Amino acid sequence: MTSASAVEPLAYDVVVIGAGPVGENVADRARAAGLSTAVVESELVGGECSYWACMPSKALLRPVVARADARRVPGLAEAVRGPLDTAAVLAHRDAYASHWKDDGQVAWLEGIGAVVHRGHGRLTGPRAVTVTAPDGTEHPLTARHAVALCTGSRAVVPGLPGIDTVRPWTSREATSAKAVPDRLVVVGGGVVGVEMATVWGALGSQVTLLVRGRGLLPRMEPFAGELVAEALREAGADLRTGVSATSVRRAAPDGPVVVTLDDGETVEADEILFATGRAPRTDDLGLETIGLEPGSWLTVDDSCRVEGTPWLYAVGDVNHRALLTHQGKYQARIAGAAIAAGARREGAGPDASPWGPYTATADHAAVPQVVFTDPEAASVGLTLAEAERAGHRVRAVDYDLADVAGAGLYADGYRGRARMVVDLDREILRGVTFVGPGIGELLHSATVAVAGEVPIDRLWHAVPAYPTISEIWLRLLETYRDS
């Protein structure tokens, strides 16, 4: 192995560790500003989202949801009564995961002028990074202006008795599995848990969903989890709330998994998926060399600069602000602009004003998310409870989506609900939630309203086309006016 100290460091303006969507976007913004940029990646360029999360999971979910929608349309329902073509669904997933090859994304990074370094990157001091290549050689890099840590997060598997014997699935195995298990236990009621329960149940698994809390999707309005739970049960899932797994075992390598619950009952399945949270990928980044704690989430300001350092940025999941790909890419655009402004030495530093070009204000006020279950659940901004805890004087305005003409045309027996959380002092929206078939594409209108702080009296002039599901906006405004 070549000693890093024996090699002259390669100097760049910016060094990015982690080449997922977040790191790619930091690199893109840095290069657009004319800064030389190196990107270090230890796995596949494109990261978790491209190969084990957003893309493969949504490729799996799309046929499931499309079939469910078709079954609610007169004249079409009888044509789609059969089972899904599992082989075709999995092949569709494989294509969207690029067959777990990153040639295209490497070519894109190189095409913008970034230099890709394969290997594991670690900080070795201020503005210093050493890359250990797959062959064991070490390559030192230095950053003239900034190092950006964009290493994301990993799934957490609880340390239950017997966990080492069962080969548990995490989100990676759940989105890349090559065969459908006859029986699947899903532990966790968050986004990964409900989306994967939806997928594998539709492909033929008997799904048992174990949830420690009282309901699903705890970060959304309560009715979102209630409607998704109702649909999962109707689809055949065994949903158990208020329970915890206390131990697991797999007596034989090819035998079933037996899960013991805190109420003494047992559940048997062929595979078990733990969708029980995420941890930062910061345990082996050399944080100790600059006085930070390995394995910790990194605290940043609104430009994503790590507190106490003028040169280190932590962007995406590692800063624990909003663990969503699109939000990480937003942070990357903000951080890239801030790095470029710092490199140009403009004044005393980038302007930190809310909603400015160097400030990730949306992380606090307007985070959008879609859960691609059947029905879909989508939200942006604050829930009613969050707004009240934040001290805002607010009112929740609810409407049954089934009473909107466009929803009835979309599907027979449509079930859904909408809520907007109105700030009564400022007459703007603090948050919006939709639940129902086909509402994912409706969310951006709510995001614009919340992020733009559009006054209620101006929203009256945003006329929804008839007959679309978007007419829910008019119904919500009328309900607010008349209440």
Side-chain angles (χ1 to χ4, degrees):
M1 182 170 68
T2 303
S3 171
S5 62
V7 179
E8 185 70 21
L10 295 173
Y12 299 91
D13 293 323
V14 180
V15 175
V16 179
I17 302 180
V22 175
E24 289 175 325
N25 273 264
V26 173
D28 184 46
R29 292 298 84 211
R31 288 296 303 132
L35 302 177
S36 61
T37 304
V39 182
V40 183
E41 177 54 53
S42 61
E43 290 190 286
L44 296 176
V45 172
E48 200 81 10
C49 173
S50 298
Y51 308 105
W52 300 287
C54 314
M55 297 307 290
S57 67
K58 277 53 190 181
L60 289 167
L61 282 156
R62 179 58 193 149
V64 172
V65 173
R67 181 181 66 165
D69 283 346
R71 285 178 169 178
R72 301 184 187 105
V73 179
L76 182 59
E78 292 304 316
V80 290
R81 287 295 172 194
L84 290 164
D85 183 337
T86 299
V89 171
L90 296 183
H92 177 65
R93 182 271 318 273
D94 293 352
Y96 269 88
S98 301
H99 300 278
W100 293 273
K101 296 179 181 178
D102 65 359
D103 305 31
Q105 301 219 38
V106 171
W108 181 85
L109 269 179
E110 293 177 340
I112 65 169
V115 178
V116 178
H117 290 265
R118 294 279 194 182
H120 180 72
R122 296 182 83 256
L123 293 166
T124 52
R127 295 185 176 86
V129 173
T130 293
V131 180
T132 302
D135 64 3
T137 58
E138 293 184 345
H139 306 275
L141 314 177
T142 60
R144 298 184 187 93
H145 299 298
V147 174
L149 303 179
C150 308
T151 49
S153 63
R154 57 177 174 79
V156 172
V157 176
L160 296 175
I163 194 71
D164 294 338
T165 71
V166 300
R167 303 186 307 279
W169 282 9
T170 66
S171 52
R172 284 197 170 196
E173 290 77 18
T175 56
S176 62
K178 301 299 184 183
V180 180
D182 291 335
R183 299 166 298 173
L184 175 66
V185 167
V186 179
V187 182
V191 177
V192 172
V194 297
E195 287 190 346
M196 291 300 97
T198 299
V199 165
W200 294 108
L203 290 174
S205 291
Q206 175 55 55
V207 174
T208 301
L209 190 57
L210 305 177
V211 181
R212 184 170 56 185
R214 292 182 295 177
L216 305 180
L217 301 176
R219 296 183 181 274
M220 287 187 161
E221 298 283 8
F223 64 81
E226 291 165 5
L227 286 167
V228 171
E230 182 181 334
L232 283 170
R233 286 191 171 106
E234 289 179 356
D238 177 6
L239 173 55
R240 307 185 192 188
T241 58
V243 299
S244 296
T246 58
S247 67
V248 291
R249 68 181 188 275
R250 194 193 293 265
D254 296 324
V257 177
V258 178
V259 187
T260 301
L261 307 179
D262 55 1
D263 60 8
E265 290 193 32
T266 60
V267 180
E268 188 174 279
D270 299 287
E271 301 292 351
I272 182 168
L273 162 62
F274 284 96
T276 49
R278 310 285 297 180
R281 292 181 180 272
T282 60
D283 51 307
D284 190 21
L285 288 182
L287 294 179
E288 68 280 2
T289 67
I290 56 169
L292 297 176
E293 182 182 351
S296 63
W297 300 104
L298 297 174
T299 303
V300 298
D301 63 17
D302 277 348
S303 69
C304 297
R305 187 172 59 187
V306 175
E307 290 186 353
T309 69
W311 57 272
L312 183 63
Y313 289 73
V315 193
D317 281 14
V318 291
N319 63 37
H320 207 225
R321 286 164 67 102
L323 277 66
L324 295 159
T325 295
H326 50 269
Q327 212 66 22
K329 291 165 69 174
Y330 160 72
Q331 293 174 12
R333 296 190 292 272
I334 297 294
I339 290 168
R344 291 192 297 266
R345 306 242 189 326
E346 294 181 347
D351 179 9
S353 301
W355 303 112
Y358 313 116
T359 310
T361 311
D363 283 353
H364 310 296
V367 174
Q369 181 173 23
V370 179
V371 184
F372 292 85
T373 44
D374 175 39
E376 292 175 340
S379 66
V380 63
L382 304 179
T383 64
L384 175 62
E386 289 170 340
E388 290 174 339
R389 285 196 297 270
H392 302 298
R393 194 171 67 91
V394 292
R395 177 188 302 165
V397 180
D398 293 338
Y399 200 83
D400 187 341
L401 265 165
D403 292 338
V404 176
L409 290 166
Y410 189 92
D412 276 1
Y414 192 104
R415 283 181 288 181
R417 186 173 171 185
R419 167 174 288 181
M420 65 180 189
V421 178
V422 180
D423 185 315
L424 298 174
D425 295 318
R426 297 187 59 198
E427 288 277 301
I428 61 171
L429 303 185
R430 291 289 178 181
V432 180
T433 299
F434 303 118
V435 184
I439 53 79
E441 296 299 336
L442 185 60
L443 182 64
H444 194 60
S445 59
T447 304
V448 171
V450 173
E453 298 182 342
V454 181
I456 292 285
D457 59 4
R458 178 58 62 89
L459 282 175
W460 278 104
H461 296 280
V463 182
Y466 182 86
T468 65
I469 301 176
S470 294
E471 200 179 12
I472 185 60
W473 281 108
L474 176 58
R475 302 303 170 219
L476 287 167
L477 291 169
E478 289 174 335
T479 303
Y480 175 64
R481 177 196 62 193
D482 297 338
S483 60

